[in-house]
Amino acid sequence: MGFAMNAIEVMAFAFVTFIGLVALVALILFFVDRFQTHDAIRRNYPVIGRFRKLFSGLGEFFRQYFFAMDREELPFNRAQREWVNRAAEGEGNTVAFGSTRNLSVPGTPIFVNAPFPPLGDQFTKSEPLRIGPTARIPYEAPSFFNISGMSFGAISKPAVQALSRGAKEAGVWLNTGEGALSPFHLEGGCDIVFQIGTAKYGVRDEHGKLSDDKLREVAAHETVRMFEIKLAQGAKPGKGGILPAEKITDEIAAIRGIKKGHDSQSPNRHREAGNVEELLNMIAHVREVTGKPVGIKTVVGSEQVFTELFDAIVARGDDCAPDFITLDGGEGGTGAAPMPLIDLVGMSVREALPVIANLRDEHGLKERIRLVSSGKLINPSDVAWALAAGADFVTSARGFMFSLGCIQALKCNKNTCPTGITTHDLRFQKGLVVEHKYKRVARYAQEIRHEVETIAHSVGVPEPRQLRRRHVRIMMENGRSTPMNEILPSYSPVSES
């Protein structure tokens, strides 16, 4: 009995002490809030005004898990993310009881099923496609779906390792992003596209200029198959990449050739390429030095620039042409960027891709320049649409981030990514286990290819690269769908049937 009374007294004392401490903290916060001057809400409503910031921060969490419907979230909704997750886990991607997608939304692509599709023994898989026929070492690219640029620095060491190993297993290429070639890109043995950003990370001399010796050094790696000169990316067209100082480790600084302790800001364009002619000179120079295919990555702002580019190629001869052009959408990508650039600058790839494909074909460059489409294309329908619109290849960054376990926490630029993908904090990185995640990467790529092949067979063609605009209908504002080849006909000497 005495023990029980003592326990009650201790708990009562603890409770009173706790209440007293809470009251003291509240009193201190009251005076702090009342006399501070930068936050009007806290000044007018001391203590309770602090809950506004708390609830605003938690709103993102609650919307994602409790309130948003499967098709409502941006930039990617739950249905899109769950498809990637099931594909990465190797689970069946069949669903019951019908589609949850609102097919009446303007812009929705609907594929035209064939009345007499090919039989099972008439299906074929996509063959490798050659890139860079005039390079000393052309590239026979095996897959129409590949990994877009994500640099070591923007993403973590285990993320790069998992992507490299997964790319090798799936037979897809891995783009390094502008952060140079790290040992972690190479260790998986996959095909690599080395991206040359405006800061020339990894191939720069002591003055930040392009180094031919370092280009040759990178090209000497057999698995480095191509080089991509980045002019712009979807997240920030017209502005160079940003790597915050807190994400620059000793290792990253050494690989990129930069100093620690400062944000690493890339120039907004290549100094060597101030116009179309200079760009073609740069492409030819890199191809001559490396012996490998060289392309460009950009965001479309105007058709006129591409008309000038293709006119210049025709005038000079297609030996000067880029071997491929990667078109990124202006919808924003994995990189952090100012909101006006993410929201308002650059065409969507949905608008740009068909237009640029037509311009390329009109100039007779279809077999010379391969088109690579990027920009929020993470599900089979997205990839199939891009192939039908004129792309030869499709690349994805955020789709593969989801395959690594990304939960769209939107912390990519804060070094606090809870899944270990975009952080260099070892506490978070330990959650990304390479031996498990690389298999998810491979399965995701393989399932995309499989389901795009399924769509191709459904519309009546034996393999995905035979998809055409006539195989896609686009939902219009009047509630009716229109064949894409009527909205924007493909260029052809003979009209498309």
Side-chain angles (χ1 to χ4, degrees):
M1 185 70 176
F3 175 78
M5 291 299 297
N6 288 337
I8 291 172
E9 289 178 1
V10 169
M11 287 189 291
F13 178 77
F15 177 75
V16 171
T17 302
F18 173 75
I19 295 298
L21 287 173
V22 169
L24 178 62
V25 169
L27 183 64
I28 293 171
L29 291 178
F30 178 89
F31 283 102
V32 169
D33 290 349
R34 175 67 78 187
F35 293 103
Q36 58 83 35
T37 57
H38 70 275
D39 188 331
I41 296 297
R42 285 169 51 201
R43 187 174 173 86
N44 290 334
Y45 303 94
V47 185
I48 61 173
R50 291 173 174 265
F51 287 93
R52 178 182 179 276
K53 184 175 181 181
L54 174 65
F55 293 149
S56 295
L58 290 175
E60 198 173 271
F61 168 82
F62 284 112
R63 285 193 299 273
Q64 181 177 24
Y65 293 105
F66 298 108
F67 301 119
M69 301 295 286
D70 283 352
R71 300 281 183 175
E72 286 183 342
E73 291 179 87
L74 291 173
F76 295 94
N77 61 50
R78 186 182 293 116
Q80 291 174 301
R81 300 196 311 271
E82 282 301 307
W83 186 93
V84 175
N85 186 61
R86 290 194 301 271
E89 283 297 319
E91 298 173 357
N93 254 319
T94 56
V95 295
F97 217 66
S99 174
T100 61
R101 184 169 190 170
N102 183 356
L103 299 179
S104 65
V105 175
T108 301
I110 300 171
F111 293 90
V112 181
N113 58 295
F116 307 105
L119 295 172
D121 59 358
Q122 296 172 319
F123 295 167
T124 60
K125 294 185 180 295
S126 292
E127 295 294 323
L129 190 63
R130 172 167 286 199
I131 306 176
T134 66
R136 293 195 297 276
I137 309 174
Y139 177 42
E140 302 290 340
S143 174
F144 59 78
F145 185 65
N146 301 280
I147 304 176
S148 190
M150 292 178 281
S151 61
F152 174 54
I155 63 174
S156 65
K157 170 183 172 180
V160 175
Q161 290 173 312
L163 290 172
S164 177
R165 292 175 60 177
K168 175 64 175 180
E169 180 155 315
V172 305
W173 79 55
L174 168 63
N175 190 306
T176 63
E178 66 177 307
L181 181 66
S182 73
F184 318 119
H185 290 104
L186 295 168
E187 71 176 43
C190 66
D191 290 349
I192 291 172
V193 178
F194 183 94
Q195 187 180 91
I196 304 174
T198 55
K200 315 294 195 298
Y201 295 130
V203 288
R204 57 191 273 158
D205 62 19
E206 61 273 17
H207 305 295
K209 296 181 179 179
L210 191 63
S211 167
D212 288 357
D213 289 339
K214 290 187 177 179
L215 276 173
R216 293 187 189 96
E217 187 178 322
V218 171
H221 293 283
E222 183 183 355
T223 54
V224 175
R225 306 294 187 182
M226 301 195 295
F227 288 79
E228 179 181 77
I229 299 171
K230 189 179 86 168
L231 306 181
Q233 69 182 84
K236 40 187 171 283
K239 186 175 178 63
I242 307 167
L243 185 64
E246 59 267 23
K247 295 182 74 172
I248 302 177
T249 63
D250 291 332
E251 191 172 43
I252 290 167
I255 289 170
R256 292 196 179 204
I258 57 177
K259 295 180 180 179
K260 279 191 65 180
H262 304 278
D263 291 349
S264 183
Q265 173 74 58
S266 302
N268 64 327
R269 73 165 175 85
H270 290 277
R271 298 185 185 278
E272 302 90 334
N275 55 52
V276 164
E277 296 293 340
E278 290 179 355
L279 174 61
L280 294 178
N281 291 339
M282 184 179 181
I283 292 167
H285 176 78
V286 174
R287 184 164 51 228
E288 176 58 32
V289 171
T290 64
K292 296 185 176 180
V294 179
I296 60 174
K297 177 178 182 176
T298 192
V299 177
V300 180
S302 167
E303 299 173 42
Q304 181 61 33
V305 176
F306 282 86
T307 299
E308 293 174 5
L309 175 66
F310 295 140
D311 284 345
I313 292 169
V314 171
R316 291 174 55 159
D318 64 11
D319 282 350
C320 73
D323 297 303
F324 62 94
I325 297 175
T326 301
L327 298 177
D328 203 3
E331 303 92 331
T334 56
M339 185 177 289
L341 297 185
I342 286 180
D343 285 350
L344 302 170
V345 180
M347 280 190 195
S348 162
V349 76
R350 301 276 179 175
E351 179 182 4
L353 175 59
V355 172
I356 302 308
N358 279 6
L359 283 175
R360 176 199 62 173
D361 298 351
E362 288 170 12
H363 286 80
L365 297 169
K366 181 176 176 63
E367 297 303 319
R368 177 66 184 87
I369 301 175
R370 303 303 185 190
L371 279 184
V372 184
S373 181
S374 187
K376 294 189 76 173
L377 307 175
I378 72 166
N379 295 131
S381 60
D382 304 321
V383 177
W385 170 87
L387 294 175
D392 299 297
F393 300 93
V394 175
T395 60
S396 176
R398 287 173 285 183
F400 283 98
M401 288 177 70
F402 288 134
S403 77
L404 287 171
C406 171
I407 60 170
Q408 197 168 276
L410 307 181
K411 307 292 184 184
C412 306
N413 59 326
K414 298 179 180 178
N415 204 35
T416 57
C417 170
T419 59
I421 298 171
T422 63
T423 179
H424 300 290
D425 187 325
L426 297 178
R427 178 168 67 95
F428 295 121
Q429 284 189 8
K430 68 182 181 182
L432 202 166
V433 180
V434 175
E435 287 70 22
H436 172 67
K437 299 300 185 183
Y438 90 86
K439 295 177 182 177
R440 285 175 52 93
V441 169
R443 285 193 291 257
Y444 167 59
Q446 291 162 346
E447 186 66 9
I448 281 277
R449 289 200 302 253
H450 170 72
E451 294 216 358
V452 173
E453 288 168 355
T454 299
I455 292 173
H457 302 159
S458 174
V459 304
V461 297
E463 63 101 357
R465 284 206 181 94
Q466 292 185 28
L467 286 165
R468 296 294 181 266
R469 295 180 196 179
R470 65 178 180 271
H471 296 129
V472 184
R473 299 179 67 90
I474 304 298
M475 182 59 64
M476 309 303 287
E477 291 184 358
N478 63 4
R480 296 178 61 85
S481 62
T482 301
M484 187 160 65
N485 64 316
E486 293 182 12
I487 299 171
L488 186 63
S490 301
Y491 171 80
S492 176
V494 179
S495 62
E496 186 182 23
S497 61

